[in-house]
PDB file of all heavy atoms in Angstrom:
ATOM      1  N   ALA A  29     123.452 119.338  90.224  1.00  0.00           N
ATOM      2  CA  ALA A  29     123.832 120.633  89.429  1.00  0.00           C
ATOM      3  C   ALA A  29     124.414 121.559  90.433  1.00  0.00           C
ATOM      4  O   ALA A  29     125.152 122.482  90.039  1.00  0.00           O
ATOM      5  CB  ALA A  29     122.628 121.165  88.765  1.00  0.00           C
ATOM      6  N   SER A  30     123.961 121.624  91.700  1.00  0.00           N
ATOM      7  CA  SER A  30     124.513 122.474  92.680  1.00  0.00           C
ATOM      8  C   SER A  30     125.640 121.963  93.430  1.00  0.00           C
ATOM      9  O   SER A  30     126.023 122.416  94.529  1.00  0.00           O
ATOM     10  CB  SER A  30     123.422 123.030  93.555  1.00  0.00           C
ATOM     11  OG  SER A  30     122.644 122.077  94.094  1.00  0.00           O
ATOM     12  N   GLY A  31     126.363 120.871  92.884  1.00  0.00           N
ATOM     13  CA  GLY A  31     127.598 120.458  93.371  1.00  0.00           C
ATOM     14  C   GLY A  31     127.434 119.271  94.396  1.00  0.00           C
ATOM     15  O   GLY A  31     128.459 118.815  95.008  1.00  0.00           O
ATOM     16  N   GLY A  32     126.138 118.801  94.783  1.00  0.00           N
ATOM     17  CA  GLY A  32     125.984 117.685  95.648  1.00  0.00           C
ATOM     18  C   GLY A  32     126.344 116.260  94.961  1.00  0.00           C
ATOM     19  O   GLY A  32     126.453 116.248  93.777  1.00  0.00           O
ATOM     20  N   ARG A  33     126.308 115.361  95.747  1.00  0.00           N
ATOM     21  CA  ARG A  33     126.467 113.955  95.280  1.00  0.00           C
ATOM     22  C   ARG A  33     125.121 113.274  95.291  1.00  0.00           C
ATOM     23  O   ARG A  33     124.153 113.791  95.851  1.00  0.00           O
ATOM     24  CB  ARG A  33     127.488 113.091  96.230  1.00  0.00           C
ATOM     25  CG  ARG A  33     126.990 112.898  97.558  1.00  0.00           C
ATOM     26  CD  ARG A  33     127.847 111.886  98.476  1.00  0.00           C
ATOM     27  NE  ARG A  33     127.172 111.870  99.707  1.00  0.00           N
ATOM     28  CZ  ARG A  33     126.282 111.021 100.171  1.00  0.00           C
ATOM     29  NH1 ARG A  33     125.724 110.267  99.284  1.00  0.00           N
ATOM     30  NH2 ARG A  33     125.705 111.003 101.405  1.00  0.00           N
ATOM     31  N   ALA A  34     125.033 112.061  94.584  1.00  0.00           N
ATOM     32  CA  ALA A  34     123.751 111.445  94.455  1.00  0.00           C
ATOM     33  C   ALA A  34     123.527 110.602  95.800  1.00  0.00           C
ATOM     34  O   ALA A  34     124.404 110.095  96.317  1.00  0.00           O
ATOM     35  CB  ALA A  34     123.904 110.502  93.269  1.00  0.00           C
ATOM     36  N   PRO A  35     122.200 110.560  96.114  1.00  0.00           N
ATOM     37  CA  PRO A  35     121.807 109.618  97.164  1.00  0.00           C
ATOM     38  C   PRO A  35     122.315 108.158  96.898  1.00  0.00           C
ATOM     39  O   PRO A  35     122.378 107.780  95.722  1.00  0.00           O
ATOM     40  CB  PRO A  35     120.322 109.683  97.346  1.00  0.00           C
ATOM     41  CG  PRO A  35     119.985 110.974  96.617  1.00  0.00           C
ATOM     42  CD  PRO A  35     121.048 111.192  95.553  1.00  0.00           C
ATOM     43  N   HIS A  36     122.593 107.354  97.950  1.00  0.00           N
ATOM     44  CA  HIS A  36     123.167 105.987  97.673  1.00  0.00           C
ATOM     45  C   HIS A  36     122.339 105.009  98.565  1.00  0.00           C
ATOM     46  O   HIS A  36     122.430 105.037  99.848  1.00  0.00           O
ATOM     47  CB  HIS A  36     124.628 106.169  98.064  1.00  0.00           C
ATOM     48  CG  HIS A  36     125.451 104.738  97.894  1.00  0.00           C
ATOM     49  ND1 HIS A  36     126.728 104.664  98.036  1.00  0.00           N
ATOM     50  CD2 HIS A  36     125.004 103.545  97.397  1.00  0.00           C
ATOM     51  CE1 HIS A  36     127.081 103.337  97.757  1.00  0.00           C
ATOM     52  NE2 HIS A  36     126.057 102.724  97.355  1.00  0.00           N
ATOM     53  N   LEU A  37     121.770 104.069  97.976  1.00  0.00           N
ATOM     54  CA  LEU A  37     121.079 102.958  98.604  1.00  0.00           C
ATOM     55  C   LEU A  37     121.832 101.655  98.474  1.00  0.00           C
ATOM     56  O   LEU A  37     122.199 101.339  97.215  1.00  0.00           O
ATOM     57  CB  LEU A  37     119.589 102.746  98.017  1.00  0.00           C
ATOM     58  CG  LEU A  37     118.861 101.491  98.510  1.00  0.00           C
ATOM     59  CD1 LEU A  37     118.444 101.640  99.883  1.00  0.00           C
ATOM     60  CD2 LEU A  37     117.470 101.322  97.593  1.00  0.00           C
ATOM     61  N   ALA A  38     122.061 100.834  99.411  1.00  0.00           N
ATOM     62  CA  ALA A  38     122.635  99.579  99.272  1.00  0.00           C
ATOM     63  C   ALA A  38     121.562  98.588  99.583  1.00  0.00           C
ATOM     64  O   ALA A  38     120.767  98.782 100.508  1.00  0.00           O
ATOM     65  CB  ALA A  38     123.799  99.424 100.185  1.00  0.00           C
ATOM     66  N   ALA A  39     121.647  97.327  99.021  1.00  0.00           N
ATOM     67  CA  ALA A  39     120.735  96.314  99.230  1.00  0.00           C
ATOM     68  C   ALA A  39     121.624  95.097  99.515  1.00  0.00           C
ATOM     69  O   ALA A  39     122.460  94.718  98.688  1.00  0.00           O
ATOM     70  CB  ALA A  39     119.784  96.097  98.035  1.00  0.00           C
TER      71      ALA A  39
END
Side-chain angles (χ1 to χ4, degrees):
S30 50
R33 64 171 178 87
H36 184 178
L37 173 71

